Amino acid sequence: MVTESLTVRDNRTGVEYDIPITDGTIRAADLGKIKAADPANNEEGPGLAVYDPGFVNTASCRSSVTYIDGDKGILEYRGYPIEQLAENSNFLEVSYLLVHGALPTKEEYDAWVHEITYHTFVHENIKEFMQGFRYDAHPMGMLMASVGAMSTFYPDAANISDPDNRRLQIIRLIAKMPTLGAWAFRHAQGKPYVYPDNDLSYTGNFLSMLFKMSESKYAPDERIEKALDTLFILHADHEQNASANAVRSVGSTQVDPYSSVAAGVGALFGPLHGGANEAVLRMLRRIGKVENIPAFIEGVKAGNERLMGFGHRVYKNYDPRAKLIKQQAYNVFEVTGTNPLLDIAQELEKIALEDEYFVKRKLYPNVDFYSGLIYEALEFPPEMFTVLFAIGRTPGWLSQWLELVQDKEQKIARPKQIYTGERGLNFVPRDVRWA
Ligand code: ACO
């Protein structure tokens, strides 16, 4: 029974419509029933559509993965606050939670960790494929291509209707992303690729594949391992963000999950999404010293540029992840020594949080504002920052994909347009046009 509804009067026709409201939304298809008569042609005319570039006020799915209250600065995965997960859990347990919807029992956890650990190796041909990239290839381009290429190594992944098959591909993807990411990193440095070490933790193994040189066994610093693991947790999902939307949009065609996740990596690459942390570092370097901040802020307010790492489509409060990342930054600097750009970042934050321009627009630091500083302290070049984000986001993308392929309401993602071009032109052949 419909208890809430919206009454709309179409002033073109004078007709009133009752449109049901469910979960604070109306169905766009219900608006499609609103049609203006076209007396000239004796037609009903097209149904009313919603124009929403960038989907700023359009829900594309029902989801039980991640909850965000942007005004209050709340982020929960499957109902658990991000602060508790960052403090008490680890990335693989959080991945299990996201994918399965509930925390694992001890047996489930052990089996999950074992399966992920024993799927970290990739086919040797993938290594050769990656070695074919130019020496200065951006690691995100390499990651996107190699994730996509995995669909050719696992053609069984196309069978997306089989739950066991889906689970296997999910395990493969979570397990192999660090291998691909680390190899993209080694490639740019001209260093040999390091094979996974299954004795180490997920994050410890990743550090080994990144930094191991001639030592027979790499021993990761526990504090760095913990900080990186926490960063992965904080990046693990963020409901219908641009890359999750890309994964869902491509996945809605029923293609295999490698192709969908490759689309997610591509979306994350953009400077307005995951590429922002790289942009933050460049910005901090360009500012150079604290004294230059006021002039920089004036430039931002004049609309000449953006304060990268600030602002968010959903958060109109301090991004809870930014707070936790700031804490981790101090832990990492204990090991690596401080980063001089931290002073500039902190001063920038202080000034921006007091400035009317930012206050009025509710612009606060987002997840990318401090993460780049940690990554730089760990000696990652800026090009690698988004790769780290992508590894952390993989379980989120896969949870969104899994939900999509099981959702009976979903259809191939295919928006409408408002056509603004010419109509019915007569083609004039080249010899006539150019005569
Ligand atoms: N610096 C200066 N002004 C800003 C910023 C910023 N970082 N972000 C938004 N604004 C201003 C806009 O100019 C606009 O002002 P106006 O109303 O006077 O025109 C107003 O705030 C609203 O901004 P929109 O661009 O409409 O907000 P939207 O939700 O579309 O954009 C986005 C969100 C893309 C994140 C934006 O805030 C931005 O570009 N931030 C910098 C890039 C960044 O840090 N991205 C990472 C986001 S987190 C993530 O993807 C992981």
Side-chain angles (χ1 to χ4, degrees), residues 2 10 21 32 36 90 92 98 108 111 118 167 170 174 177 185 226 243 316 369 391 401 420 425:
V2 176
D10 186 342
I21 298 175
N90 64 44
L92 283 191
L98 284 168
E108 287 165 342
Y118 285 86
R167 183 182 154 83
I170 287 172
I174 295 175
M177 285 295 273
F185 172 73
K226 168 74 186 148
S243 57
K316 302 302 168 199
F369 194 65
I391 295 170
W401 171 78
T420 60
L425 300 180

mmCIF file with all atom_site columns, all heavy atoms in Angstrom, residues 2 10 21 32 36 90 92 98 108 111 118 167 170 174 177 185 226 243 316 369 391 401 420 425:
data_model
loop_
_atom_site.group_PDB
_atom_site.id
_atom_site.type_symbol
_atom_site.label_atom_id
_atom_site.label_alt_id
_atom_site.label_comp_id
_atom_site.label_asym_id
_atom_site.label_entity_id
_atom_site.label_seq_id
_atom_site.pdbx_PDB_ins_code
_atom_site.Cartn_x
_atom_site.Cartn_y
_atom_site.Cartn_z
_atom_site.occupancy
_atom_site.B_iso_or_equiv
_atom_site.pdbx_formal_charge
_atom_site.auth_seq_id
_atom_site.auth_comp_id
_atom_site.auth_asym_id
_atom_site.auth_atom_id
_atom_site.pdbx_PDB_model_num
ATOM 1   N N   . VAL A 1 2   ? 0.546  2.180   -0.884  1.00 0.00 ? 2   VAL A N   1
ATOM 2   C CA  . VAL A 1 2   ? 1.342  3.409   -0.952  1.00 0.00 ? 2   VAL A CA  1
ATOM 3   C C   . VAL A 1 2   ? 0.904  4.352   0.161   1.00 0.00 ? 2   VAL A C   1
ATOM 4   O O   . VAL A 1 2   ? -0.251 4.728   0.256   1.00 0.00 ? 2   VAL A O   1
ATOM 5   C CB  . VAL A 1 2   ? 1.162  4.099   -2.327  1.00 0.00 ? 2   VAL A CB  1
ATOM 6   C CG1 . VAL A 1 2   ? 1.920  5.415   -2.359  1.00 0.00 ? 2   VAL A CG1 1
ATOM 7   C CG2 . VAL A 1 2   ? 1.607  3.180   -3.442  1.00 0.00 ? 2   VAL A CG2 1
ATOM 8   N N   . ASP A 1 10  ? 0.670  18.826  -14.174 1.00 0.00 ? 10  ASP A N   1
ATOM 9   C CA  . ASP A 1 10  ? 1.363  19.208  -15.415 1.00 0.00 ? 10  ASP A CA  1
ATOM 10  C C   . ASP A 1 10  ? 0.641  20.428  -15.988 1.00 0.00 ? 10  ASP A C   1
ATOM 11  O O   . ASP A 1 10  ? -0.493 20.310  -16.468 1.00 0.00 ? 10  ASP A O   1
ATOM 12  C CB  . ASP A 1 10  ? 1.335  18.029  -16.404 1.00 0.00 ? 10  ASP A CB  1
ATOM 13  C CG  . ASP A 1 10  ? 2.165  18.311  -17.650 1.00 0.00 ? 10  ASP A CG  1
ATOM 14  O OD1 . ASP A 1 10  ? 2.459  19.502  -17.905 1.00 0.00 ? 10  ASP A OD1 1
ATOM 15  O OD2 . ASP A 1 10  ? 2.525  17.357  -18.354 1.00 0.00 ? 10  ASP A OD2 1
ATOM 16  N N   . ILE A 1 21  ? 6.024  7.601   -3.367  1.00 0.00 ? 21  ILE A N   1
ATOM 17  C CA  . ILE A 1 21  ? 7.365  7.865   -2.832  1.00 0.00 ? 21  ILE A CA  1
ATOM 18  C C   . ILE A 1 21  ? 7.773  6.630   -2.022  1.00 0.00 ? 21  ILE A C   1
ATOM 19  O O   . ILE A 1 21  ? 7.048  6.198   -1.123  1.00 0.00 ? 21  ILE A O   1
ATOM 20  C CB  . ILE A 1 21  ? 7.367  9.107   -1.902  1.00 0.00 ? 21  ILE A CB  1
ATOM 21  C CG1 . ILE A 1 21  ? 6.962  10.357  -2.684  1.00 0.00 ? 21  ILE A CG1 1
ATOM 22  C CG2 . ILE A 1 21  ? 8.743  9.302   -1.258  1.00 0.00 ? 21  ILE A CG2 1
ATOM 23  C CD1 . ILE A 1 21  ? 6.824  11.620  -1.836  1.00 0.00 ? 21  ILE A CD1 1
ATOM 24  N N   . GLY A 1 32  ? 7.783  9.210   -16.417 1.00 0.00 ? 32  GLY A N   1
ATOM 25  C CA  . GLY A 1 32  ? 7.617  8.918   -17.844 1.00 0.00 ? 32  GLY A CA  1
ATOM 26  C C   . GLY A 1 32  ? 6.153  8.810   -18.247 1.00 0.00 ? 32  GLY A C   1
ATOM 27  O O   . GLY A 1 32  ? 5.809  8.941   -19.428 1.00 0.00 ? 32  GLY A O   1
ATOM 28  N N   . ALA A 1 36  ? 2.756  15.246  -22.382 1.00 0.00 ? 36  ALA A N   1
ATOM 29  C CA  . ALA A 1 36  ? 2.026  16.420  -22.854 1.00 0.00 ? 36  ALA A CA  1
ATOM 30  C C   . ALA A 1 36  ? 1.447  16.118  -24.234 1.00 0.00 ? 36  ALA A C   1
ATOM 31  O O   . ALA A 1 36  ? 2.140  15.584  -25.091 1.00 0.00 ? 36  ALA A O   1
ATOM 32  C CB  . ALA A 1 36  ? 2.974  17.606  -22.960 1.00 0.00 ? 36  ALA A CB  1
ATOM 33  N N   . ASN A 1 90  ? 41.355 -5.892  10.024  1.00 0.00 ? 90  ASN A N   1
ATOM 34  C CA  . ASN A 1 90  ? 42.425 -5.756  9.028   1.00 0.00 ? 90  ASN A CA  1
ATOM 35  C C   . ASN A 1 90  ? 41.782 -5.808  7.639   1.00 0.00 ? 90  ASN A C   1
ATOM 36  O O   . ASN A 1 90  ? 40.587 -6.096  7.505   1.00 0.00 ? 90  ASN A O   1
ATOM 37  C CB  . ASN A 1 90  ? 43.507 -6.835  9.203   1.00 0.00 ? 90  ASN A CB  1
ATOM 38  C CG  . ASN A 1 90  ? 42.967 -8.222  8.960   1.00 0.00 ? 90  ASN A CG  1
ATOM 39  O OD1 . ASN A 1 90  ? 42.222 -8.466  8.016   1.00 0.00 ? 90  ASN A OD1 1
ATOM 40  N ND2 . ASN A 1 90  ? 43.319 -9.159  9.829   1.00 0.00 ? 90  ASN A ND2 1
ATOM 41  N N   . LEU A 1 92  ? 41.929 -7.767  5.002   1.00 0.00 ? 92  LEU A N   1
ATOM 42  C CA  . LEU A 1 92  ? 41.297 -8.978  4.458   1.00 0.00 ? 92  LEU A CA  1
ATOM 43  C C   . LEU A 1 92  ? 39.986 -9.287  5.173   1.00 0.00 ? 92  LEU A C   1
ATOM 44  O O   . LEU A 1 92  ? 39.025 -9.757  4.554   1.00 0.00 ? 92  LEU A O   1
ATOM 45  C CB  . LEU A 1 92  ? 42.255 -10.169 4.521   1.00 0.00 ? 92  LEU A CB  1
ATOM 46  C CG  . LEU A 1 92  ? 43.354 -10.194 3.449   1.00 0.00 ? 92  LEU A CG  1
ATOM 47  C CD1 . LEU A 1 92  ? 44.061 -11.539 3.432   1.00 0.00 ? 92  LEU A CD1 1
ATOM 48  C CD2 . LEU A 1 92  ? 42.815 -9.881  2.054   1.00 0.00 ? 92  LEU A CD2 1
ATOM 49  N N   . LEU A 1 98  ? 32.810 -6.924  3.380   1.00 0.00 ? 98  LEU A N   1
ATOM 50  C CA  . LEU A 1 98  ? 32.182 -6.229  2.251   1.00 0.00 ? 98  LEU A CA  1
ATOM 51  C C   . LEU A 1 98  ? 31.577 -7.214  1.257   1.00 0.00 ? 98  LEU A C   1
ATOM 52  O O   . LEU A 1 98  ? 30.433 -7.063  0.837   1.00 0.00 ? 98  LEU A O   1
ATOM 53  C CB  . LEU A 1 98  ? 33.217 -5.348  1.538   1.00 0.00 ? 98  LEU A CB  1
ATOM 54  C CG  . LEU A 1 98  ? 33.582 -4.040  2.247   1.00 0.00 ? 98  LEU A CG  1
ATOM 55  C CD1 . LEU A 1 98  ? 34.812 -3.404  1.617   1.00 0.00 ? 98  LEU A CD1 1
ATOM 56  C CD2 . LEU A 1 98  ? 32.413 -3.058  2.216   1.00 0.00 ? 98  LEU A CD2 1
ATOM 57  N N   . GLU A 1 108 ? 35.899 -19.384 8.648   1.00 0.00 ? 108 GLU A N   1
ATOM 58  C CA  . GLU A 1 108 ? 35.688 -18.637 7.399   1.00 0.00 ? 108 GLU A CA  1
ATOM 59  C C   . GLU A 1 108 ? 36.851 -17.676 7.141   1.00 0.00 ? 108 GLU A C   1
ATOM 60  O O   . GLU A 1 108 ? 37.322 -17.533 6.015   1.00 0.00 ? 108 GLU A O   1
ATOM 61  C CB  . GLU A 1 108 ? 34.372 -17.838 7.474   1.00 0.00 ? 108 GLU A CB  1
ATOM 62  C CG  . GLU A 1 108 ? 33.133 -18.714 7.357   1.00 0.00 ? 108 GLU A CG  1
ATOM 63  C CD  . GLU A 1 108 ? 31.847 -17.993 7.788   1.00 0.00 ? 108 GLU A CD  1
ATOM 64  O OE1 . GLU A 1 108 ? 31.932 -16.960 8.494   1.00 0.00 ? 108 GLU A OE1 1
ATOM 65  O OE2 . GLU A 1 108 ? 30.771 -18.471 7.447   1.00 0.00 ? 108 GLU A OE2 1
ATOM 66  N N   . ALA A 1 111 ? 40.004 -19.646 6.084   1.00 0.00 ? 111 ALA A N   1
ATOM 67  C CA  . ALA A 1 111 ? 39.876 -20.147 4.708   1.00 0.00 ? 111 ALA A CA  1
ATOM 68  C C   . ALA A 1 111 ? 40.017 -18.997 3.697   1.00 0.00 ? 111 ALA A C   1
ATOM 69  O O   . ALA A 1 111 ? 40.676 -19.131 2.666   1.00 0.00 ? 111 ALA A O   1
ATOM 70  C CB  . ALA A 1 111 ? 38.518 -20.836 4.533   1.00 0.00 ? 111 ALA A CB  1
ATOM 71  N N   . TYR A 1 118 ? 46.914 -17.804 -1.566  1.00 0.00 ? 118 TYR A N   1
ATOM 72  C CA  . TYR A 1 118 ? 47.364 -18.759 -2.592  1.00 0.00 ? 118 TYR A CA  1
ATOM 73  C C   . TYR A 1 118 ? 46.875 -18.437 -4.001  1.00 0.00 ? 118 TYR A C   1
ATOM 74  O O   . TYR A 1 118 ? 47.020 -19.226 -4.914  1.00 0.00 ? 118 TYR A O   1
ATOM 75  C CB  . TYR A 1 118 ? 47.033 -20.193 -2.153  1.00 0.00 ? 118 TYR A CB  1
ATOM 76  C CG  . TYR A 1 118 ? 48.026 -20.591 -1.075  1.00 0.00 ? 118 TYR A CG  1
ATOM 77  C CD1 . TYR A 1 118 ? 47.806 -20.275 0.252   1.00 0.00 ? 118 TYR A CD1 1
ATOM 78  C CD2 . TYR A 1 118 ? 49.245 -21.178 -1.430  1.00 0.00 ? 118 TYR A CD2 1
ATOM 79  C CE1 . TYR A 1 118 ? 48.757 -20.555 1.234   1.00 0.00 ? 118 TYR A CE1 1
ATOM 80  C CE2 . TYR A 1 118 ? 50.203 -21.455 -0.453  1.00 0.00 ? 118 TYR A CE2 1
ATOM 81  C CZ  . TYR A 1 118 ? 49.947 -21.141 0.866   1.00 0.00 ? 118 TYR A CZ  1
ATOM 82  O OH  . TYR A 1 118 ? 50.900 -21.393 1.824   1.00 0.00 ? 118 TYR A OH  1
ATOM 83  N N   . ARG A 1 167 ? 32.721 -16.246 -6.953  1.00 0.00 ? 167 ARG A N   1
ATOM 84  C CA  . ARG A 1 167 ? 33.572 -16.201 -5.757  1.00 0.00 ? 167 ARG A CA  1
ATOM 85  C C   . ARG A 1 167 ? 35.041 -16.397 -6.143  1.00 0.00 ? 167 ARG A C   1
ATOM 86  O O   . ARG A 1 167 ? 35.921 -15.690 -5.646  1.00 0.00 ? 167 ARG A O   1
ATOM 87  C CB  . ARG A 1 167 ? 33.104 -17.287 -4.775  1.00 0.00 ? 167 ARG A CB  1
ATOM 88  C CG  . ARG A 1 167 ? 33.879 -17.283 -3.480  1.00 0.00 ? 167 ARG A CG  1
ATOM 89  C CD  . ARG A 1 167 ? 33.413 -18.412 -2.547  1.00 0.00 ? 167 ARG A CD  1
ATOM 90  N NE  . ARG A 1 167 ? 34.488 -18.798 -1.647  1.00 0.00 ? 167 ARG A NE  1
ATOM 91  C CZ  . ARG A 1 167 ? 34.798 -18.186 -0.529  1.00 0.00 ? 167 ARG A CZ  1
ATOM 92  N NH1 . ARG A 1 167 ? 34.101 -17.136 -0.150  1.00 0.00 ? 167 ARG A NH1 1
ATOM 93  N NH2 . ARG A 1 167 ? 35.805 -18.587 0.219   1.00 0.00 ? 167 ARG A NH2 1
ATOM 94  N N   . ILE A 1 170 ? 36.433 -13.267 -7.625  1.00 0.00 ? 170 ILE A N   1
ATOM 95  C CA  . ILE A 1 170 ? 36.597 -12.238 -6.581  1.00 0.00 ? 170 ILE A CA  1
ATOM 96  C C   . ILE A 1 170 ? 37.893 -12.497 -5.813  1.00 0.00 ? 170 ILE A C   1
ATOM 97  O O   . ILE A 1 170 ? 38.689 -11.576 -5.568  1.00 0.00 ? 170 ILE A O   1
ATOM 98  C CB  . ILE A 1 170 ? 35.354 -12.221 -5.648  1.00 0.00 ? 170 ILE A CB  1
ATOM 99  C CG1 . ILE A 1 170 ? 34.171 -11.596 -6.384  1.00 0.00 ? 170 ILE A CG1 1
ATOM 100 C CG2 . ILE A 1 170 ? 35.646 -11.469 -4.346  1.00 0.00 ? 170 ILE A CG2 1
ATOM 101 C CD1 . ILE A 1 170 ? 32.840 -11.685 -5.660  1.00 0.00 ? 170 ILE A CD1 1
ATOM 102 N N   . ILE A 1 174 ? 41.123 -9.868  -5.755  1.00 0.00 ? 174 ILE A N   1
ATOM 103 C CA  . ILE A 1 174 ? 41.660 -9.272  -4.516  1.00 0.00 ? 174 ILE A CA  1
ATOM 104 C C   . ILE A 1 174 ? 43.105 -9.735  -4.324  1.00 0.00 ? 174 ILE A C   1
ATOM 105 O O   . ILE A 1 174 ? 43.976 -8.963  -3.917  1.00 0.00 ? 174 ILE A O   1
ATOM 106 C CB  . ILE A 1 174 ? 40.781 -9.633  -3.294  1.00 0.00 ? 174 ILE A CB  1
ATOM 107 C CG1 . ILE A 1 174 ? 39.391 -9.012  -3.448  1.00 0.00 ? 174 ILE A CG1 1
ATOM 108 C CG2 . ILE A 1 174 ? 41.436 -9.170  -1.981  1.00 0.00 ? 174 ILE A CG2 1
ATOM 109 C CD1 . ILE A 1 174 ? 38.387 -9.395  -2.372  1.00 0.00 ? 174 ILE A CD1 1
ATOM 110 N N   . MET A 1 177 ? 45.659 -8.131  -7.362  1.00 0.00 ? 177 MET A N   1
ATOM 111 C CA  . MET A 1 177 ? 45.834 -6.675  -7.545  1.00 0.00 ? 177 MET A CA  1
ATOM 112 C C   . MET A 1 177 ? 47.168 -6.181  -6.979  1.00 0.00 ? 177 MET A C   1
ATOM 113 O O   . MET A 1 177 ? 47.867 -5.407  -7.643  1.00 0.00 ? 177 MET A O   1
ATOM 114 C CB  . MET A 1 177 ? 44.671 -5.899  -6.916  1.00 0.00 ? 177 MET A CB  1
ATOM 115 C CG  . MET A 1 177 ? 43.392 -5.945  -7.695  1.00 0.00 ? 177 MET A CG  1
ATOM 116 S SD  . MET A 1 177 ? 43.476 -5.134  -9.309  1.00 0.00 ? 177 MET A SD  1
ATOM 117 C CE  . MET A 1 177 ? 43.072 -3.458  -8.871  1.00 0.00 ? 177 MET A CE  1
ATOM 118 N N   . PHE A 1 185 ? 54.946 -0.758  -10.437 1.00 0.00 ? 185 PHE A N   1
ATOM 119 C CA  . PHE A 1 185 ? 55.892 0.110   -9.703  1.00 0.00 ? 185 PHE A CA  1
ATOM 120 C C   . PHE A 1 185 ? 57.338 -0.258  -10.057 1.00 0.00 ? 185 PHE A C   1
ATOM 121 O O   . PHE A 1 185 ? 58.159 0.596   -10.384 1.00 0.00 ? 185 PHE A O   1
ATOM 122 C CB  . PHE A 1 185 ? 55.624 -0.083  -8.206  1.00 0.00 ? 185 PHE A CB  1
ATOM 123 C CG  . PHE A 1 185 ? 56.614 0.578   -7.287  1.00 0.00 ? 185 PHE A CG  1
ATOM 124 C CD1 . PHE A 1 185 ? 56.616 1.959   -7.119  1.00 0.00 ? 185 PHE A CD1 1
ATOM 125 C CD2 . PHE A 1 185 ? 57.520 -0.179  -6.557  1.00 0.00 ? 185 PHE A CD2 1
ATOM 126 C CE1 . PHE A 1 185 ? 57.509 2.566   -6.239  1.00 0.00 ? 185 PHE A CE1 1
ATOM 127 C CE2 . PHE A 1 185 ? 58.416 0.415   -5.682  1.00 0.00 ? 185 PHE A CE2 1
ATOM 128 C CZ  . PHE A 1 185 ? 58.409 1.800   -5.530  1.00 0.00 ? 185 PHE A CZ  1
ATOM 129 N N   . LYS A 1 226 ? 51.008 -1.876  9.150   1.00 0.00 ? 226 LYS A N   1
ATOM 130 C CA  . LYS A 1 226 ? 49.726 -1.524  9.780   1.00 0.00 ? 226 LYS A CA  1
ATOM 131 C C   . LYS A 1 226 ? 49.129 -0.266  9.121   1.00 0.00 ? 226 LYS A C   1
ATOM 132 O O   . LYS A 1 226 ? 47.933 -0.206  8.830   1.00 0.00 ? 226 LYS A O   1
ATOM 133 C CB  . LYS A 1 226 ? 49.954 -1.309  11.284  1.00 0.00 ? 226 LYS A CB  1
ATOM 134 C CG  . LYS A 1 226 ? 48.818 -0.665  12.048  1.00 0.00 ? 226 LYS A CG  1
ATOM 135 C CD  . LYS A 1 226 ? 47.651 -1.611  12.266  1.00 0.00 ? 226 LYS A CD  1
ATOM 136 C CE  . LYS A 1 226 ? 46.476 -0.894  12.911  1.00 0.00 ? 226 LYS A CE  1
ATOM 137 N NZ  . LYS A 1 226 ? 45.178 -1.382  12.527  1.00 0.00 ? 226 LYS A NZ  1
ATOM 138 N N   . SER A 1 243 ? 33.954 5.516   -9.607  1.00 0.00 ? 243 SER A N   1
ATOM 139 C CA  . SER A 1 243 ? 34.517 4.249   -10.105 1.00 0.00 ? 243 SER A CA  1
ATOM 140 C C   . SER A 1 243 ? 33.568 3.073   -9.833  1.00 0.00 ? 243 SER A C   1
ATOM 141 O O   . SER A 1 243 ? 33.462 2.165   -10.663 1.00 0.00 ? 243 SER A O   1
ATOM 142 C CB  . SER A 1 243 ? 35.904 3.991   -9.519  1.00 0.00 ? 243 SER A CB  1
ATOM 143 O OG  . SER A 1 243 ? 35.870 3.972   -8.124  1.00 0.00 ? 243 SER A OG  1
ATOM 144 N N   . LYS A 1 316 ? 29.639 16.882  3.409   1.00 0.00 ? 316 LYS A N   1
ATOM 145 C CA  . LYS A 1 316 ? 29.568 18.317  3.615   1.00 0.00 ? 316 LYS A CA  1
ATOM 146 C C   . LYS A 1 316 ? 30.032 18.578  5.054   1.00 0.00 ? 316 LYS A C   1
ATOM 147 O O   . LYS A 1 316 ? 29.566 19.450  5.762   1.00 0.00 ? 316 LYS A O   1
ATOM 148 C CB  . LYS A 1 316 ? 28.140 18.842  3.388   1.00 0.00 ? 316 LYS A CB  1
ATOM 149 C CG  . LYS A 1 316 ? 27.626 18.523  1.981   1.00 0.00 ? 316 LYS A CG  1
ATOM 150 C CD  . LYS A 1 316 ? 28.502 19.100  0.855   1.00 0.00 ? 316 LYS A CD  1
ATOM 151 C CE  . LYS A 1 316 ? 28.164 18.539  -0.519  1.00 0.00 ? 316 LYS A CE  1
ATOM 152 N NZ  . LYS A 1 316 ? 29.229 18.714  -1.506  1.00 0.00 ? 316 LYS A NZ  1
ATOM 153 N N   . PHE A 1 369 ? 43.502 14.267  0.945   1.00 0.00 ? 369 PHE A N   1
ATOM 154 C CA  . PHE A 1 369 ? 44.307 15.411  1.371   1.00 0.00 ? 369 PHE A CA  1
ATOM 155 C C   . PHE A 1 369 ? 45.596 14.980  2.077   1.00 0.00 ? 369 PHE A C   1
ATOM 156 O O   . PHE A 1 369 ? 46.657 15.549  1.844   1.00 0.00 ? 369 PHE A O   1
ATOM 157 C CB  . PHE A 1 369 ? 43.475 16.352  2.256   1.00 0.00 ? 369 PHE A CB  1
ATOM 158 C CG  . PHE A 1 369 ? 44.129 17.697  2.446   1.00 0.00 ? 369 PHE A CG  1
ATOM 159 C CD1 . PHE A 1 369 ? 44.311 18.555  1.365   1.00 0.00 ? 369 PHE A CD1 1
ATOM 160 C CD2 . PHE A 1 369 ? 44.580 18.113  3.688   1.00 0.00 ? 369 PHE A CD2 1
ATOM 161 C CE1 . PHE A 1 369 ? 44.925 19.793  1.522   1.00 0.00 ? 369 PHE A CE1 1
ATOM 162 C CE2 . PHE A 1 369 ? 45.200 19.348  3.853   1.00 0.00 ? 369 PHE A CE2 1
ATOM 163 C CZ  . PHE A 1 369 ? 45.369 20.187  2.763   1.00 0.00 ? 369 PHE A CZ  1
ATOM 164 N N   . ILE A 1 391 ? 44.027 -0.787  -5.209  1.00 0.00 ? 391 ILE A N   1
ATOM 165 C CA  . ILE A 1 391 ? 44.155 -2.081  -4.502  1.00 0.00 ? 391 ILE A CA  1
ATOM 166 C C   . ILE A 1 391 ? 43.176 -2.098  -3.328  1.00 0.00 ? 391 ILE A C   1
ATOM 167 O O   . ILE A 1 391 ? 42.445 -3.068  -3.128  1.00 0.00 ? 391 ILE A O   1
ATOM 168 C CB  . ILE A 1 391 ? 45.613 -2.301  -4.030  1.00 0.00 ? 391 ILE A CB  1
ATOM 169 C CG1 . ILE A 1 391 ? 46.539 -2.438  -5.242  1.00 0.00 ? 391 ILE A CG1 1
ATOM 170 C CG2 . ILE A 1 391 ? 45.714 -3.521  -3.114  1.00 0.00 ? 391 ILE A CG2 1
ATOM 171 C CD1 . ILE A 1 391 ? 48.021 -2.418  -4.898  1.00 0.00 ? 391 ILE A CD1 1
ATOM 172 N N   . TRP A 1 401 ? 29.710 -4.979  -7.606  1.00 0.00 ? 401 TRP A N   1
ATOM 173 C CA  . TRP A 1 401 ? 29.456 -5.795  -8.805  1.00 0.00 ? 401 TRP A CA  1
ATOM 174 C C   . TRP A 1 401 ? 28.601 -7.011  -8.460  1.00 0.00 ? 401 TRP A C   1
ATOM 175 O O   . TRP A 1 401 ? 27.629 -7.338  -9.159  1.00 0.00 ? 401 TRP A O   1
ATOM 176 C CB  . TRP A 1 401 ? 30.807 -6.235  -9.405  1.00 0.00 ? 401 TRP A CB  1
ATOM 177 C CG  . TRP A 1 401 ? 30.672 -7.236  -10.502 1.00 0.00 ? 401 TRP A CG  1
ATOM 178 C CD1 . TRP A 1 401 ? 30.315 -6.995  -11.791 1.00 0.00 ? 401 TRP A CD1 1
ATOM 179 C CD2 . TRP A 1 401 ? 30.878 -8.652  -10.401 1.00 0.00 ? 401 TRP A CD2 1
ATOM 180 N NE1 . TRP A 1 401 ? 30.281 -8.174  -12.502 1.00 0.00 ? 401 TRP A NE1 1
ATOM 181 C CE2 . TRP A 1 401 ? 30.623 -9.206  -11.665 1.00 0.00 ? 401 TRP A CE2 1
ATOM 182 C CE3 . TRP A 1 401 ? 31.258 -9.495  -9.354  1.00 0.00 ? 401 TRP A CE3 1
ATOM 183 C CZ2 . TRP A 1 401 ? 30.733 -10.571 -11.918 1.00 0.00 ? 401 TRP A CZ2 1
ATOM 184 C CZ3 . TRP A 1 401 ? 31.368 -10.857 -9.601  1.00 0.00 ? 401 TRP A CZ3 1
ATOM 185 C CH2 . TRP A 1 401 ? 31.107 -11.383 -10.869 1.00 0.00 ? 401 TRP A CH2 1
ATOM 186 N N   . THR A 1 420 ? 20.483 17.985  -28.776 1.00 0.00 ? 420 THR A N   1
ATOM 187 C CA  . THR A 1 420 ? 20.590 19.418  -29.087 1.00 0.00 ? 420 THR A CA  1
ATOM 188 C C   . THR A 1 420 ? 21.118 19.662  -30.503 1.00 0.00 ? 420 THR A C   1
ATOM 189 O O   . THR A 1 420 ? 21.413 20.799  -30.866 1.00 0.00 ? 420 THR A O   1
ATOM 190 C CB  . THR A 1 420 ? 21.548 20.123  -28.094 1.00 0.00 ? 420 THR A CB  1
ATOM 191 O OG1 . THR A 1 420 ? 22.825 19.501  -28.224 1.00 0.00 ? 420 THR A OG1 1
ATOM 192 C CG2 . THR A 1 420 ? 21.058 20.037  -26.666 1.00 0.00 ? 420 THR A CG2 1
ATOM 193 N N   . LEU A 1 425 ? 19.012 16.577  -41.940 1.00 0.00 ? 425 LEU A N   1
ATOM 194 C CA  . LEU A 1 425 ? 19.797 17.242  -42.995 1.00 0.00 ? 425 LEU A CA  1
ATOM 195 C C   . LEU A 1 425 ? 19.899 16.316  -44.215 1.00 0.00 ? 425 LEU A C   1
ATOM 196 O O   . LEU A 1 425 ? 19.864 15.094  -44.066 1.00 0.00 ? 425 LEU A O   1
ATOM 197 C CB  . LEU A 1 425 ? 21.199 17.570  -42.474 1.00 0.00 ? 425 LEU A CB  1
ATOM 198 C CG  . LEU A 1 425 ? 21.299 18.499  -41.263 1.00 0.00 ? 425 LEU A CG  1
ATOM 199 C CD1 . LEU A 1 425 ? 22.763 18.716  -40.880 1.00 0.00 ? 425 LEU A CD1 1
ATOM 200 C CD2 . LEU A 1 425 ? 20.626 19.834  -41.555 1.00 0.00 ? 425 LEU A CD2 1
#
